[in-house]
Amino acid sequence: MSNSMQNITTDFLVIGSGVAGLRAAIELAPHGSVIVVTKDIPTESSTEYAQGGVAVALSDEDEVGIHFEDTIKAGDGLCREDAVKILVEEGPARIFELIEWGAEFDKEGTKLAFTMEAAHTKRRILHAHGDSTGRELLRVLVNKVRSFTTIQRMQFYTVVDLIVEDERCKGAYVLKSSEFGVPGSELIAIHAKATLLATGGAGQIFSRTTNPAVATGDGMAIAYRAGAILEDMEFVQFHPTVLFAPSAPQFLLSEAMRGEGAILKNIFKEPFMKNYHPDAELAPRDVVSRAIISEMVRTNSSHVYLDLTHRDSEFVKKRFPRIYSTCLQYDLNITRDLIPVSPAAHYMMGGVKTDINGATSIEGLYAAGEVACTGVHGANRLASNSLLEGLVYGYRAGVAASQQEGQGSKVKGQERKTSDISAPDFDLEEVRTSLRRLMWEKVGIIRCGVSLNEAMENLSMWRSILDMDFNTRRGLELKNMLTVAFMITEAALERKGSVGAHYRSDYKERGENWQRHIIVVRTPEGTKVT
Ligand code: SIN
């Protein structure tokens, strides 16, 4: 373990290597040196696992105005209209550009193929290799990134904190730590004139999630510690259909399956969605997730089923090859068997508050993708709008950050050492598991004042972790997960009403002043939630 900290200077620092981070890096590359830091292998991001696709108004029957209306409706009154307008209007250009760079979206004949997903009124979801859309986007973006000599990628570096001086972000401290529990050997201060967070979401704070292991809310937590404003943290989207089978991973069964006709059935094999919403399987995600929970409670079961067996098996295998082969590994043949599913945490609508150019409340700090809250998703994200958001707002944040004044230069008096940090005197893994279970049980799909206050009481027992220093990726992740867990729970307590994905059984109506956005910010006096 080193005693002294290393220093690196670059023009731009991008933290995270999913769609938003890479798209931003491509925009920054012509303007100076760029470092893209990622805490795992570069492809380990939510983008890699995105199945369904990219929503974009490009089909003959569609219009950007209709995509706008659908997004606003799904957001349940809390979308920022200017941000949505940009998303739907700039989306087509970002997609054409990707196609020019080599993206292979699925086609019907010579035309792009579009599928349907919940709460869309038109077939507008582009997909690639059936159900590997995110992987295709990454392939193309990584190739493009490789074509720039100005972009350096650093993998297996976990971000520790942002470097902030005179209320300006001037880079970040990162820790080389290739293995989870092994203390990091190298602490590096990366000094940059602009820093861009693209760290994705925080699904790992819930015991059931579709998110990869890297989604521990790092960007939200470090931004909070630096004093940035976070917004809409109570809005967590739960995906209705996630594989529920002993010994199988929590694998997403794309909403596109319901778009192609899959039916939800309870354990008595009875379809039930029509009893909950006129749009049945294609009702908004929060409605479908709550309907599944109700049905599970009613039938005293841990899951429901997704049934696609009535569709032609060759079509199913071709349309969902990744889902087909993954389920087969667990003895489930989606062309013949009913698939056990239940909901899981999927997406954070809230995050680090940004303007329409990705600028946060801290000078020199930008954010894009799931870590950011542009207001584009409001209280509930429209399916398949997130890859589009990563492309559109990654691009915009890259353009804005490239104009940042000043230069990356070493900051005085902020020397940090890993050698002073001793191993924690508690079991990190035990706390991590308890935290995830607590959040799922008390701050999950259906919340109430009692469950949220219980969550706060339990979280408070671990509060001292927030002031600790760690020299392992696992330790840093736990601190970040706890930070985000506090923010979600506090915001959920503050919103006394049910809107979008935030549902309180003790306040089933929207409540007073429901159109306000709740913000969370760290102040010298403590956390302010207003
Ligand atoms: C899915 O394929 O169901 C996920 C797509 C999304 O969350 O946008």
Side-chain angles (χ1 to χ4, degrees):
M1 205 157 23
S2 66
N3 267 325
S4 61
M5 190 179 67
Q6 289 188 50
N7 289 278
I8 298 177
T9 300
T10 184
D11 291 310
F12 310 108
L13 171 62
V14 175
I15 306 172
S17 62
V19 56
L22 295 181
R23 189 62 195 81
I26 290 165
E27 232 38 55
L28 290 165
H31 300 273
S33 52
V34 185
I35 292 180
V36 179
V37 169
T38 179
K39 71 176 172 181
D40 209 290
I41 54 170
T43 51
E44 191 57 14
S45 66
S46 292
T47 304
E48 164 69 17
Y49 297 93
Q51 296 175 359
V54 194
V56 63
L58 280 178
S59 79
D60 294 344
E61 59 166 24
D62 206 359
E63 289 168 26
V64 290
I66 308 177
H67 189 186
F68 174 87
E69 289 302 332
D70 288 351
T71 302
I72 296 284
K73 193 167 170 214
D76 207 11
L78 279 170
C79 292
R80 291 223 148 84
E81 294 199 358
D82 54 346
V84 178
K85 196 160 178 288
I86 286 168
L87 178 82
V88 298
E89 284 181 353
E90 295 186 8
R94 298 284 77 80
I95 295 295
F96 286 135
E97 178 180 78
L98 270 190
I99 293 173
E100 210 173 289
W101 295 343
E104 291 174 2
F105 291 108
D106 295 335
K107 290 189 172 166
E108 271 156 20
T110 55
K111 286 186 155 185
L112 290 168
F114 296 91
T115 193
M116 191 71 175
E117 282 185 347
H120 288 271
T121 53
K122 299 284 176 196
R123 290 179 78 88
R124 69 163 66 93
I125 321 297
L126 282 178
H127 42 94
H129 311 291
D131 51 7
S132 289
T133 315
R135 185 178 282 176
E136 176 64 2
L137 259 58
L138 274 191
R139 181 187 71 77
V140 171
L141 292 172
V142 165
N143 276 344
K144 187 74 185 167
V145 160
R146 283 202 184 114
S147 72
F148 292 100
T149 52
T150 44
I151 303 180
Q152 181 196 347
R153 292 191 294 158
M154 290 171 64
Q155 61 183 41
F156 292 113
Y157 282 88
T158 304
V159 64
V160 178
D161 266 315
L162 294 168
I163 301 172
V164 180
E165 190 188 56
D166 301 332
E167 298 179 3
R168 253 197 79 162
C169 180
K170 298 190 171 178
Y173 302 102
V174 299
L175 181 76
K176 173 88 176 164
S177 110
S178 53
E179 284 177 57
F180 279 171
V182 178
S185 52
E186 246 182 276
L187 185 66
I188 303 177
I190 304 178
H191 307 279
K193 64 177 171 182
T195 301
L196 198 146
L197 297 173
T199 49
Q204 283 295 324
I205 68 168
F206 295 92
S207 57
R208 266 190 75 68
T209 181
T210 60
N211 290 190
V214 290
T216 50
D218 302 340
M220 295 169 194
I222 60 172
Y224 165 83
R225 288 200 285 277
I229 295 175
L230 288 99
E231 188 174 67
D232 290 347
M233 293 299 284
E234 69 277 30
F235 296 121
V236 180
Q237 184 173 74
F238 295 87
H239 197 289
T241 55
V242 180
L243 187 59
F244 185 90
S247 77
Q250 295 175 12
F251 181 71
L252 178 72
L253 295 176
S254 177
E255 189 148 309
M257 292 178 77
R258 278 175 281 130
E260 299 292 357
I263 295 170
L264 283 162
K265 295 184 172 172
N266 64 24
I267 51 154
F268 304 117
K269 309 207 172 123
E270 299 159 341
F272 58 84
M273 271 314 301
K274 283 220 159 67
N275 304 337
Y276 291 90
H277 196 281
D279 293 337
E281 272 69 15
L282 293 183
R285 252 181 212 178
D286 60 310
V287 174
V288 181
S289 290
R290 285 197 298 276
I292 291 175
I293 294 291
S294 299
E295 211 61 17
M296 280 161 47
V297 170
R298 201 177 66 76
T299 59
N300 195 20
S301 156
S302 54
H303 61 272
V304 296
Y305 292 113
L306 190 65
D307 182 2
L308 197 53
T309 56
H310 50 286
R311 295 290 320 248
D312 173 69
S313 65
E314 287 315 307
F315 165 78
V316 171
K317 284 187 216 169
K318 184 154 181 275
R319 181 66 186 81
F320 301 109
R322 197 169 175 182
I323 296 174
Y324 173 74
S325 59
T326 304
C327 287
L328 217 48
Q329 287 171 31
Y330 301 95
D331 275 343
L332 290 163
N333 182 339
I334 61 168
T335 69
R336 281 204 315 255
D337 301 323
L338 301 190
I339 312 300
V341 294
S342 79
H346 185 57
Y347 191 88
M348 288 285 302
M349 270 70 75
V352 183
K353 181 175 164 62
T354 69
D355 67 10
I356 50 169
N357 297 312
T360 72
S361 59
I362 298 181
E363 172 81 19
L365 181 67
Y366 298 79
E370 191 173 348
V371 65
C373 181
T374 53
V376 94
H377 305 304
N380 202 9
R381 178 180 61 95
L382 184 66
S384 288
N385 262 355
S386 45
L387 289 178
L388 192 70
E389 186 198 17
L391 290 171
V392 169
Y393 283 94
Y395 164 86
R396 291 181 73 90
V399 170
S402 74
Q403 309 300 313
Q404 182 72 44
E405 307 265 294
Q407 57 191 42
S409 59
K410 196 174 165 213
V411 173
K412 291 187 198 77
Q414 297 216 13
E415 198 71 8
R416 286 193 175 199
K417 289 179 189 170
T418 51
S419 53
D420 301 340
I421 303 170
S422 46
D425 59 358
F426 63 92
D427 187 336
L428 279 177
E429 298 309 316
E430 212 175 283
V431 177
R432 189 179 177 121
T433 305
S434 307
L435 168 67
R436 300 181 72 216
R437 198 171 294 149
L438 176 77
M439 291 301 287
W440 177 251
E441 285 169 4
K442 308 287 181 197
V443 196
I445 300 170
I446 299 176
R447 309 151 170 184
C448 67
V450 173
S451 73
L452 293 169
N453 279 312
E454 275 173 28
M456 278 305 285
E457 252 174 57
N458 282 275
L459 291 172
S460 300
M461 292 188 319
W462 299 314
R463 200 180 279 279
S464 59
I465 293 173
L466 300 181
D467 299 321
M468 291 181 190
D469 289 324
F470 293 92
N471 59 8
T472 60
R473 168 171 157 184
R474 252 354 222 189
L476 290 164
E477 285 181 345
L478 177 65
K479 179 170 165 174
N480 293 338
M481 288 164 73
L482 186 58
T483 306
V484 176
F486 267 114
M487 287 194 275
I488 293 175
T489 311
E490 286 172 326
L493 264 169
E494 178 70 18
R495 184 171 289 282
K496 294 180 179 54
S498 294
V499 187
H502 170 73
Y503 184 81
R504 284 192 51 163
S505 55
D506 52 347
Y507 291 102
K508 291 186 182 147
E509 303 304 321
R510 290 171 174 270
E512 265 175 42
N513 203 7
W514 64 273
Q515 267 180 312
R516 77 187 170 119
H517 292 270
I518 291 173
I519 63 165
V520 181
V521 67
R522 184 186 199 185
T523 71
E525 294 76 46
T527 305
K528 231 169 92 185
V529 183
T530 47

